[in-house]
Amino acid sequence: MKKILVTGGLGYIGSHTVVELQNSGYQVIIIDNLSNSSLDVLEGITNISKTPPAFERLDLRIKADVADFFKRNQDIEGIIHFAASKAVGESVENPLLYYENNLNTLIYLLQECNAYGIENFIFSSSCTVYGEPDSLPITEDAPVKAATSPYGNTKQISEEILKDTCSVSALKAIALRYFNPIGAHETAEIGELPAGVPQNLVPFITQTAAGLRKELSVFGDDYPTEDGSCIRDYIHVVDLAKAHVIALQRLLSEKNETQFEVFNLGTGRGSSVLEVVNSFEKTTGEKLNYKIVERRPGDVISVYADTKKANKVLGWKAEKTMEDALESAWKWEKKIRNIS
């Protein structure tokens, strides 16, 4: 069994990826500092896969601790790196935290990759690198625009660090640019656990339906779209998790065409905020209390992926529907709120 390190493996996307790795026969070791996750997730992963992954609570910002970890785990064959701060608003208020947490940690990991000859690296990137796109759907060749937040900037800089490192070492890396992950595992053993007020649409919808939030605010209905609300490419988190396993297998079997590759991960279809709201109501039978409010500064009108490269080159395709995602998200919300 190949040993794979998953950083941030108790987070939302990380935990679902750990499950898919274990289901595919990999031995997983998780590093997480629990700053935005919970140890309960470890139990959820184990309940699904029947295999408890190895876990170490470790802060990747502490270089000596990172070095010590790799000294004790010299048999790691690949890394999937999720651990990062990810709230756009918080990054604007506290840019140094984001630069330290998202860049230093990557550098320390790559230094250990060089030291121990670890050549396979999957990086959790984002469609935020594209900014307001010039044309839709967005291909991997679309220009990377000046970042509108320190969070977005850390993703751009991280990709540049990886590209530069690959050019002078044996490292092979794939950056996966996610669009909008939603949903939860069908077992409702793991799902999204936003800290405080959710920044993303679907957790806000499910919390509103569960009575935690008074109402959902839809930011603007006067955009140049069919129903006036913003459009995003919402992808089921389990589909996203499976893409990481396929990307890792691509590197391990040396099928990569260049040392550094980039793939968009989305469905290729845009859905408006109001479409998601209506779909949730239809799928679950729950009536949502929502109101239209002013536009939110910085919101891009429409973003959705061109997935041809991921489909043809990576050999991956999103299979689950919006209804699957919303149904699983609601099932998860009801479980954690003890709603029957």
Side-chain angles (χ1 to χ4, degrees):
M1 289 174 77
K2 293 187 189 300
K3 186 172 176 181
I4 306 301
L5 167 63
V6 180
T7 73
L10 297 185
Y12 176 39
I13 304 167
S15 59
H16 288 81
T17 301
V18 169
V19 166
E20 297 304 325
L21 283 167
Q22 293 194 146
N23 287 347
S24 300
Y26 291 97
Q27 180 190 352
V28 177
I29 183 164
I30 296 169
I31 283 177
D32 203 300
N33 69 356
L34 302 179
S35 62
N36 197 28
S37 56
S38 162
L39 262 181
D40 295 341
V41 177
L42 206 54
E43 187 182 335
I45 292 168
T46 305
N47 289 344
I48 298 168
S49 63
K50 310 303 178 200
T51 307
F55 168 71
E56 285 205 26
R57 183 172 185 174
L58 192 149
D59 191 329
L60 289 170
R61 292 174 295 183
I62 303 172
K63 187 174 183 177
D65 289 356
V66 178
D68 176 66
F69 171 85
F70 279 92
K71 193 175 180 181
R72 291 182 285 107
N73 293 275
Q74 296 187 23
D75 53 346
I76 288 169
E77 295 194 42
I79 298 174
I80 303 182
H81 181 42
F82 293 104
S85 301
K86 61 175 187 176
V88 171
E90 184 188 41
S91 79
V92 174
E93 292 163 13
N94 196 347
L96 290 179
L97 169 71
Y98 273 66
Y99 288 118
E100 179 191 32
N101 202 31
N102 295 6
L103 299 181
N104 288 11
T105 55
L106 173 65
I107 291 165
Y108 298 159
L109 284 171
L110 293 178
Q111 286 171 337
E112 299 305 322
C113 286
N114 281 345
Y116 293 102
I118 302 165
E119 296 180 0
N120 306 295
F121 199 97
I122 307 295
F123 178 66
S124 163
S125 193
S126 168
C127 66
T128 56
V129 299
Y130 298 118
E132 182 84 64
D134 296 329
S135 61
L136 292 166
I138 302 172
T139 70
E140 288 82 354
D141 296 325
V144 170
K145 301 281 188 71
T148 55
S149 71
Y151 163 73
N153 203 24
T154 65
K155 291 299 180 187
Q156 292 182 10
I157 296 168
S158 293
E159 286 195 12
E160 289 170 7
I161 290 169
L162 282 164
K163 194 175 179 181
D164 290 345
T165 305
C166 287
S167 71
V168 294
S169 71
L171 188 75
K172 300 172 294 185
I174 293 177
L176 298 174
R177 292 174 177 169
Y178 316 153
F179 280 66
N180 294 70
I182 59 170
H185 197 270
E186 62 186 7
T187 60
E189 289 287 350
I190 54 174
E192 190 166 7
L193 275 171
V197 179
Q199 300 295 309
N200 298 329
L201 176 63
V202 171
F204 212 109
I205 285 175
T206 57
Q207 287 192 12
T208 303
L212 264 79
R213 308 286 161 201
K214 183 186 163 197
E215 62 188 1
L216 169 74
S217 294
V218 176
F219 296 102
D221 65 350
D222 57 349
Y223 285 97
T225 61
E226 201 164 312
D227 61 22
S229 63
C230 285
I231 289 173
R232 296 291 179 269
D233 189 337
Y234 297 97
I235 175 174
H236 198 301
V237 67
V238 173
D239 278 332
L240 191 61
K242 287 176 177 175
H244 290 75
V245 180
I246 292 168
L248 178 68
Q249 288 166 343
R250 179 177 174 83
L251 294 183
L252 289 168
S253 57
E254 300 185 355
K255 289 181 179 169
N256 52 304
E257 292 169 9
T258 54
Q259 294 283 104
F260 178 70
E261 295 182 312
V262 172
F263 294 96
N264 285 340
L265 297 182
T267 64
R269 180 184 177 276
S271 300
S272 74
V273 172
L274 290 172
E275 276 182 305
V276 177
V277 168
N278 294 334
S279 182
F280 178 83
E281 290 184 332
K282 191 175 171 185
T283 303
T284 64
E286 299 291 326
K287 192 80 183 128
L288 266 184
N289 188 22
Y290 71 91
K291 67 172 181 179
I292 310 295
V293 297
E294 291 293 307
R295 290 186 182 192
R296 187 168 52 182
D299 270 348
V300 175
I301 299 163
S302 184
V303 175
Y304 53 95
D306 185 316
T307 60
K308 289 192 193 77
K309 186 180 176 187
N311 300 161
K312 292 175 182 173
V313 181
L314 194 57
W316 166 89
K317 195 175 196 303
E319 294 173 350
K320 294 183 179 292
T321 64
M322 170 70 74
E323 290 71 29
D324 293 335
L326 295 173
E327 191 176 345
S328 64
W330 180 230
K331 185 179 175 184
W332 164 249
E333 187 72 47
K334 286 195 293 184
K335 184 196 173 185
I336 59 176
R337 306 298 170 201
N338 295 313
I339 301 169
S340 57

